[in-house]
């Protein structure tokens, strides 16, 4: 293909970022052939670089008694170590490949790539900013995170463009880092919606509606609240499926099921979404929440919390409800309302499907990213 745009994409490739990156790569490969996207997954190169692993270990020891509050500056040291390793990874890749545009996800591994970004126009994508985390995490985060904010500011200023996955993160880049609005875009994380294209049901598949919780970090994602509320108030009128690799002591009953070892977007997970009637994850901390997008695409009313960017995904009163984290009384009320009102579940499910088409369509969103890559290459060709 003549004049094919060449993009080198380096991803942190951990936790929810794995799902995002896999969908991005598949979409470019199958739907956007005019872009040659060469992907680097940082953990894969980490396994092959003994010197890099040694450097990482030397830079990231934990300090007993200080680690829980980050008073040992672990977050700063960890991000510098990852950025140093990412720099080594990029140097090796650029020795044999010459991209038109560099894409780094996220800024946490781009803190030491300033000289490369000055030479090759770079798009930095992110799910959140440390400036936001510094205001939301307990002290002394406001102090220990401050050096990271300074490093991120330099990174964003050198980048050709910054892409945030939420409006909340974009506003932080504008407000806290001083970038001009035309240099920062919001492109939501996305899904291949055709994999969720089953008909919506107006009635449960069994005698009672099924609640679905998905979250490996069971405590942080509010799993204990869901389980306690369900056992105390909702077990007689609903069933509960828990997808989590955490060890969870559960009573032995047929309407309470614990699923382990289920991968992102696997056939098993998609089947659970299709069988469910309500999705619930009253998380205490969630910078984004890919599972809310999945549940929305599946046509499930969602119950989330008011933390971080979750209200952008769960629009309270439209495709679900958001509550304060830890508010078990309100959690009980909204779940009971959804359990008892099938017409409300159906209405919110339809609204969720519409939101997914508007905001979370992988083909549409990654086409926008491809257009951004092309624009950046063109600007570099014109201005040098």
């Amino acid at each position: 293909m003549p004049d094919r745009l060449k993009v080198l994409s380096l991803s942190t490739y951990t936790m929810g970022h794995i799902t995002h990156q896999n969908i991005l790569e598949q979409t470019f490969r199958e739907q956007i052939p005019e872009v040659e996207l060469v992907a680097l997954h940082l953990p894969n190169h980490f396994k092959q670089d003994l010197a890099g692993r040694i450097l990482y270990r030397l830079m990231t020891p934990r300090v007993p008694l200080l680690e829980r509050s980050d008073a040992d500056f672990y977050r700063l040291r960890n991000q510098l170590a990852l950025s140093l390793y990412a720099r080594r990874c990029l140097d090796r890749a650029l020795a044999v490949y010459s991209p038109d545009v560099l894409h780094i996800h996220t800024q946490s591994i781009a803190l030491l790539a300033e000289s490369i970004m000055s030479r090759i126009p770079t798009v930095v994508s992110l799910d959140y900013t440390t400036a936001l985390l510094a205001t939301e995490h307990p002290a002394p985060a406001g102090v220990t995170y401050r050096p990271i904010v300074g490093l991120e500011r330099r990174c964003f200023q050198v980048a050709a463009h910054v892409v945030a996955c939420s409006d909340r993160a974009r506003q932080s880049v504008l407000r806290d880092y001083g970038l001009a609005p035309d240099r920062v875009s919001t492109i939501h994380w996305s899904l291949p919606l055709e994999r969720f294209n089953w008909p919506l049901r107006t009635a449960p598949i069994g005698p009672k509606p099924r609640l679905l919780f998905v979250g490996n970090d069971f405590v942080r994602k509010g799993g204990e609240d869901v389980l306690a509320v369900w056992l105390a108030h909702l077990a007689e009128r609903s069933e509960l499926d828990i997808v989590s690799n955490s060890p969870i002591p559960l009573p032995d009953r047929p309407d309470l099921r614990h699923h382990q070892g289920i991968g992102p977007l696997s056939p098993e997970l998609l089947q659970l979404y299709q069988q469910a009637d309500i999705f619930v994850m009253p998380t205490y901390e969630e910078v984004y929440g890919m599972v809310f997008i999945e549940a929305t695409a599946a046509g499930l009313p969602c119950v989330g919390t008011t933390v971080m960017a979750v209200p952008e995904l769960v629009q309270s009163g439209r495709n679900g409800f958001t509550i304060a984290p830890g508010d078990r009384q309100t959690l009980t009320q909204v779940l009971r309302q959804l359990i008892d009102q099938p017409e409300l579940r159906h209405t919110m499910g339809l609204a969720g499907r519409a939101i997914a088409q508007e905001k979370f369509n992988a083909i549409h969103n990654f086409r926008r990213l491809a257009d951004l890559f092309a624009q950046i290459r063109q600007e570099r060709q014109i201005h040098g």
Side-chain angles (χ1 to χ4, degrees):
M1 182 175 295
D3 199 30
R4 196 178 186 198
L5 194 157
K6 297 190 294 184
V7 177
L8 181 65
S9 178
L10 175 64
S11 170
T12 183
Y13 210 68
T14 58
M15 298 186 291
H17 301 284
I18 296 175
T19 304
H20 165 68
Q21 184 70 17
N22 287 344
I23 295 169
L24 181 149
E25 292 172 22
Q26 180 182 4
T27 304
F28 271 87
R29 184 171 58 249
E30 298 178 357
Q31 303 291 337
I32 312 176
E34 66 271 23
V35 175
E36 177 184 272
L37 188 137
V38 175
L40 302 175
H41 300 163
L42 195 60
N44 292 343
H45 290 263
F46 191 80
K47 298 173 185 176
Q48 302 167 11
D49 186 350
L50 176 60
R53 294 200 302 274
I54 293 173
L55 284 171
Y56 180 82
R57 299 297 182 192
L58 290 173
M59 294 176 68
T60 57
R62 302 309 303 260
V63 179
L65 304 180
L66 299 179
E67 59 186 43
R68 289 184 62 85
S69 64
D70 198 54
D72 61 351
F73 286 83
Y74 174 77
R75 180 178 286 269
L76 171 63
R77 292 185 288 110
N78 182 62
Q79 291 196 12
L80 285 174
L82 288 174
S83 292
L84 177 61
Y85 184 74
R87 174 60 189 260
R88 291 168 58 85
C89 179
L90 285 172
D91 285 339
R92 290 196 300 271
L94 292 171
V96 296
Y97 186 74
S98 299
D100 299 303
V101 177
L102 181 62
H103 171 232
I104 303 179
H105 180 83
T106 65
Q107 80 277 21
S108 63
I109 61 172
L111 302 181
L112 300 179
E114 184 176 344
S115 61
I116 294 177
M117 294 165 61
S118 298
R119 188 172 77 250
I120 303 171
T122 303
V123 173
V124 174
S125 57
L126 56 93
D127 57 346
Y128 221 54
T129 69
T130 303
L132 285 172
L133 290 175
T135 65
E136 295 164 346
H137 283 182
V143 174
T144 63
Y145 290 12
R146 194 174 301 157
I148 307 175
V149 174
L151 290 168
E152 286 181 343
R153 182 175 292 110
R154 288 174 51 190
C155 171
F156 296 155
Q157 289 171 347
V158 175
H161 203 87
V162 175
V163 173
C165 74
S166 69
D167 291 331
R168 180 175 176 80
R170 179 178 184 269
Q171 289 302 316
S172 174
V173 175
L174 299 178
R175 179 186 64 248
D176 301 320
Y177 298 85
L179 266 67
D182 62 352
R183 293 187 56 211
V184 190
S185 301
T186 299
I187 300 179
H188 285 278
W189 286 7
S190 312
L191 288 172
L193 296 181
E194 65 276 6
R195 300 184 65 179
F196 294 81
N197 194 27
W198 52 75
L200 295 188
R201 290 180 285 101
T202 56
I205 60 173
K208 298 184 291 186
R210 293 175 65 161
L211 311 183
L212 175 63
F213 170 92
V214 180
N216 280 331
D217 193 339
F218 189 70
V219 175
R220 176 173 65 84
K221 293 179 181 287
E224 289 183 338
D225 294 332
V226 173
L227 182 59
V229 161
W230 185 81
L231 288 171
H233 305 289
L234 305 174
E236 298 305 315
R237 60 178 74 193
S238 65
E239 301 180 11
L240 176 59
D241 287 284
I242 296 173
V243 179
S244 179
N245 289 331
S246 296
I248 308 168
L250 297 177
D252 184 14
R253 47 186 303 162
D255 51 2
L256 175 60
R257 295 169 289 269
H258 182 197
H259 309 268
Q260 294 179 283
I262 293 182
L265 294 184
S266 63
E268 295 83 2
L269 183 59
L270 293 177
Q271 184 179 38
L272 286 169
Y273 277 124
Q274 189 169 3
Q275 293 171 342
D277 299 283
I278 301 162
F279 180 80
V280 54
M281 192 181 77
T283 181
Y284 286 77
E285 181 177 18
E286 199 75 30
V287 297
Y288 196 66
M290 195 73 175
V291 289
F292 287 117
I293 299 178
E294 295 169 3
T296 296
L300 298 179
C302 298
V303 178
T305 50
T306 53
V307 302
M308 299 179 166
V310 173
E312 291 185 41
L313 312 179
V314 183
Q315 299 177 24
S316 197
R318 186 180 177 197
N319 67 317
F321 297 101
T322 54
I323 64 172
D327 185 351
R328 293 186 178 183
Q329 180 178 357
T330 305
L331 178 61
T332 303
Q333 292 172 354
V334 298
L335 286 176
R336 183 177 287 135
Q337 184 179 358
L338 288 169
I339 290 168
D340 293 344
Q341 298 183 32
E343 68 283 355
L344 178 62
R345 296 199 304 267
H346 188 65
T347 299
M348 286 187 164
L350 289 173
R353 281 272 175 92
I355 291 171
Q357 285 291 344
E358 176 189 350
K359 298 176 66 173
F360 309 131
N361 186 314
I363 296 176
H364 175 264
N365 286 355
F366 291 135
R367 171 62 64 183
R368 286 183 58 203
L369 185 60
D371 291 344
L372 178 61
F373 291 152
Q375 175 187 336
I376 289 171
R377 179 180 67 169
Q378 183 179 33
E379 291 174 353
R380 175 55 63 96
Q381 290 172 340
I382 293 173
H383 301 293

